[in-house]
Amino acid sequence: MELLSIDFLGQPLRIEGSMAGWQQLFWNNTLVSQLNAHADHNDKHLHEFELTNGDNVIKCSVEVNLSWQPFLVEYKATANDQLVADGSRNEKDIEQQTPQVIPKAERRFSLIGLASLGMKALKSAKLIKVVLASASLAAYSWLFSIQFALALLACLVFHEYGHIRAMKYFGMKTKGIYLIPFFGGLALSDEKINTRWQDVVISIMGPLFGLIMSIACVIAYWVTDNMFFAGLAVFNALLNLFNLLPILPLDGGHVLKSISFSMNSKVGIALCLSAAIGGVVLSYTLGLTLFGFLLIMGCVEILFEWKHRHQSHLLPLDRYGQIFSFAWYVGLVSSLIGIIWYFASTGDELLRLPMQILGT
């Protein structure tokens, strides 16, 4: 990830690094210093390099004092022992930065490039939103009634709006919501995230808004005794519960990946797996066979990717962020299962269907 980006002797100076101690220093987009990862690294890092100006040689150094939890970078850059720049950066600075992207060489003709350009044009067109929304309405009307299809689309839009609100909270430009028949919806942004905390919040806000919608439907059912609201509440809860499964690219996969990849030790991944095993045991105990199976598959995927976590440019969660994110995730999952279980206990065959799906 990008730790530092400043102006140094008239050119940009940038440091990329990871929790394992690996760091690379670029001056004018040229690699001038590198520190390799090692088991006994500490918080203090020193980069030394030389620049030439005609016959003159400028001896440069950049001292970096880096703390990951809580995140803080303190730096001091010198040239021929003269201070050029110093300062500090925290997590808020990382959230607001725009990562450096080295421009790629332009190609005169590329089928992939043309296809990518076509997809970008397609995504930016308002017409495609209308077409996809209409196709979704037709598909769900075929499966259910037109009234239920409209209500289900409202739930999907409300879910995706939660993602949009989180993106805007972090100052990201959004491209809107796209409804995909039989696959739900997508909330798109042109900008990339910089921290695991942004990934957690953006991912989990969709299911949180979905939970709010289900609770509103439950209240409407209690007030009106209309089974329409009961069906909408339970199927919307099932939809958001599946979004919280720990499988990428679902929302739950992003949340648990951010938590586990922020743990910089084997103890961390062991705790994560222990919690996952407990979730699997609980799922099978409660008869949620499908949920337990998918939880196993998601944990296996995260385990295989965990060893490559240091290659990510995202700032990891601190201890508080890990605990809070996990509690937030468990609370959402428990609340959605509670709604499904509540309506399954009414004895209505249709309302029992989501619980039967989970027990498959």
Side-chain angles (χ1 to χ4, degrees), residues 211-245:
L211 174 62
I212 294 172
M213 173 67 82
S214 282
I215 292 175
C217 290
V218 171
I219 295 174
Y221 167 69
W222 287 343
V223 172
T224 65
D225 201 29
N226 191 325
M227 293 299 293
F228 174 83
F229 292 111
L232 190 59
V234 70
F235 279 99
N236 181 60
L238 179 65
L239 170 70
N240 284 276
L241 182 62
F242 270 102
N243 266 281
L244 286 172
L245 290 173

Side-chain angles (χ1 to χ4, degrees), residues 115-131:
S116 177
L117 183 62
M119 287 300 295
K120 289 182 179 179
L122 193 63
K123 288 180 180 179
S124 63
K126 293 183 179 180
L127 177 61
I128 192 61
K129 294 182 181 179
V130 177
V131 172

Side-chain angles (χ1 to χ4, degrees), residues 1-4 15-23 35 41-47 63-75 89-91 94 315-316:
M1 62 166 291
E2 184 177 295
L3 300 174
L4 179 64
I15 297 180
E16 302 278 350
S18 75
M19 295 177 68
W22 168 86
Q23 287 188 14
L35 302 177
H41 68 87
N42 53 35
D43 293 340
K44 295 183 178 180
H45 308 270
L46 176 63
H47 294 272
E63 298 180 19
V64 178
N65 193 359
L66 172 62
S67 172
W68 286 100
Q69 295 184 348
F71 180 82
L72 178 65
V73 174
E74 296 176 322
Y75 62 91
R89 306 187 78 213
N90 57 28
E91 183 175 347
I94 298 296
L315 176 67

Side-chain angles (χ1 to χ4, degrees), residues 64 112 127 131 181 193 334 352:
V64 178
I112 297 178
L127 177 61
V131 172
I193 59 176
S334 301
R352 288 178 57 191

